[in-house]
Amino acid sequence: MDRHFLTELKKRRTFGIISHPDAGKTTLTEKLLMFGGAIQMAGAVKAKRAGRYATSDWMAIEKERGISVTTSVMKFNYSDCEINLLDTPGHQDFSEDTYRVLTAVDSALMVIDSAKGVEPQTEKLMEVCRMRNTPIMTFINKLDRDGMTPLDILGDIEDKLQIECAPLSWPIGMGKRFRGVYNLHQRQLHLFQPGGQTRHQEGIVITDLADPRLEELLGSQAEELREDVELLEGAANPFELDQYLKGSQTPVFFGSAINNFGVREMLDAFVEMAPGPMARPTTTRVVAPEEAQFSGFAFKIQANMDPAHRDRIAFVRICSGKFTRGMKVYQTRIGKQVTLANATIFMAQDRSHVDEAYPGDIIGIHNHGTISIGDTFYEKEPLSFTGIPNFAPDHFRRVRLKNPLKAKQLLKGLTQLAEEGAVQFFRPLSGNDYILGAVGILQFDVTMARLKAEYGVDADYEPVSFAAARWVTCEDKKQLALFEKEKQASLANDSQGNLTYLAPSLWRLENAMEEWPMIGFHKTRDLA
Ligand code: GDP
């Protein structure tokens, strides 16, 4: 393999941010992009935030698309690295896409609000990271406000997320008493200045905490820091790179994104420690990023501005080999060769004429509905990447078709929207209903609006009393038949005909799982 390829490969870092709404993801993203010189992009992120309380009206969503396409993949350069930050939509945009984006990254950054600790959405996203043992770096945000004590926050993370915390920096006070952080790794003190330093502030090197300069700089808080660090040396886990890379330990940084404090220290650690493109499993073998043959998979599909043309952009993560504009590749599911002539290469702001992309990079392929989520693209050897699943929906609605003559179009529309990952649907074994399933409730409105605009189907939806869905499997055919007979009323087929248990309540689900130990109840279903 040529040296240029390996150099490019080594530079790549592809990651996503996991957080609960309002923890500071957007603010942090802006600061990261600014360090990378992608100022214009930071503007787009801000614009998106301003419009995030968009109504559920499809046109408003469409208008935002222009921005959201550019912010889906944010690429910036920092310290010799080419960093791809994949957006994990939160707030109203929260959907299955948010989960699936995490299947396309090599590591994640977790942002926690210091006053709130671990919140539900972070827990959910963490579950997805755990599926592939994704390495996670943690940023505890908003230290300029009063919050939980640092030890309580670490305890909360360890309890709720079952991951060991290794603090690499330690805060000195918080809220009005926030004086800065002490970098435990480099033994440097960083003093807090509200408002945000635009340039790198050199840390003050204090190797021995008994140094009387500490009193000059921190006053009475010097002693607090000494006590904290002494306590940590006895109680905290020492940082171990391999534990981080295995996903069992998270290095922790403290700071304030809005004041641009602590962000740079974390970014420096990120480029040093976060993994580059990792090997990925397929149905036949594991593919290493260094392999010469191009391969990649589609993890997200976005409908384009012009709904009449059913124009879509498929976001493809490159897993191995080099992508060159116009190259011919095979698409596994349809077994056909396609020319990637009109692919968009997401690139850093300062490089406008890029015709190549490397493992870890994302390319956008324009198509008219011929690409499904999970599709693999390969150059020579037929491959099919695994680990790009459907996630069990948390919300359910029953579709009401206004014009019964449109039943065929409804099925066609829903099937295509399901292939795209926009929504899931289920058909109960008894009856002719369509039950929609989604991870974020805005997905229902988007589905109705798109059914109308793209398929001419006038439909709406009504509540239905399901609380959870699980894909069902069982090796023992007899047991399965018994289960089907008994649970007939709660069973359905998904859009691809896979048997699914739709539980009326979480309690009933637990009950069924206890009662039927031979049956597998799955929260995800692989699309490959
Ligand atoms: P997101 O929903 O996770 O993207 O969060 P945002 O970045 O939009 O931030 C949510 C709110 O927290 C906004 O009002 C921010 O200005 C505020 N915020 C972000 N970082 C900080 C911080 O370090 N300190 C304080 N006090 N507020 C912050």
Side-chain angles (χ1 to χ4, degrees), residues 284-328:
T284 43
R285 64 183 184 88
V286 171
V287 172
E290 299 84 10
E291 292 183 24
Q293 177 192 205
F294 169 87
S295 70
F297 63 85
F299 62 93
K300 170 174 172 152
I301 291 174
Q302 190 149 46
N304 219 350
M305 296 296 273
D306 188 354
H309 289 97
R310 296 202 189 141
D311 214 8
R312 320 254 194 279
I313 297 181
F315 290 80
V316 172
R317 142 104 201 198
I318 303 177
C319 298
S320 67
K322 184 166 90 173
F323 169 82
T324 45
R325 205 182 286 284
M327 82 188 293
K328 288 191 170 71

Side-chain angles (χ1 to χ4, degrees), residues 2 6 8 43 46 89 112 191 219 265 273 341 425 474 505 513:
D2 69 272
L6 290 177
E8 290 294 329
K46 211 174 273 172
I112 304 251
L191 290 175
E265 285 70 32
M273 306 192 292
F425 74 87
C474 186
S505 69
M513 288 168 76

Side-chain angles (χ1 to χ4, degrees), residues 119-256:
E119 296 175 88
Q121 204 155 298
T122 311
E123 282 187 72
K124 285 186 181 179
L125 296 169
M126 181 72 182
E127 261 185 56
V128 181
C129 290
R130 197 165 282 123
M131 287 169 49
R132 291 173 51 240
N133 296 324
T134 306
I136 292 171
M137 197 169 270
T138 300
F139 186 76
I140 314 258
N141 191 25
K142 307 196 187 181
L143 265 289
D144 60 315
R145 288 220 186 132
D146 286 320
M148 295 160 67
T149 70
L151 276 178
D152 283 348
I153 299 171
L154 299 189
D156 195 44
I157 294 173
E158 295 200 335
D159 282 355
K160 290 197 182 128
L161 304 179
Q162 298 296 308
I163 189 168
E164 211 176 85
C165 291
L168 291 188
S169 78
W170 197 252
I172 304 154
M174 65 170 69
K176 285 204 177 70
R177 294 182 75 244
F178 183 51
R179 302 300 308 277
V181 293
Y182 184 66
N183 188 317
L184 298 161
H185 219 42
Q186 296 157 336
R187 305 204 146 258
Q188 286 188 6
L189 182 70
H190 294 271
L191 290 175
F192 175 60
Q193 293 165 335
Q197 77 272 46
T198 43
R199 265 188 278 131
H200 192 23
Q201 182 201 30
E202 287 302 321
I204 303 161
V205 181
I206 297 195
T207 42
D208 179 4
L209 284 176
D211 194 328
R213 272 190 302 163
L214 217 52
E215 259 73 20
E216 282 166 36
L217 295 162
L218 300 174
S220 63
Q221 283 177 262
E223 198 48 36
E224 285 172 34
L225 174 65
R226 287 192 191 106
E227 281 168 17
D228 280 357
V229 172
E230 196 182 334
L231 188 74
L232 282 175
E233 272 161 9
N237 310 296
F239 173 66
E240 288 175 60
L241 185 65
D242 64 324
Q243 296 299 316
Y244 158 65
L245 293 174
K246 274 197 256 172
S248 55
Q249 190 187 66
T250 177
V252 180
F253 293 85
F254 292 84
S256 167

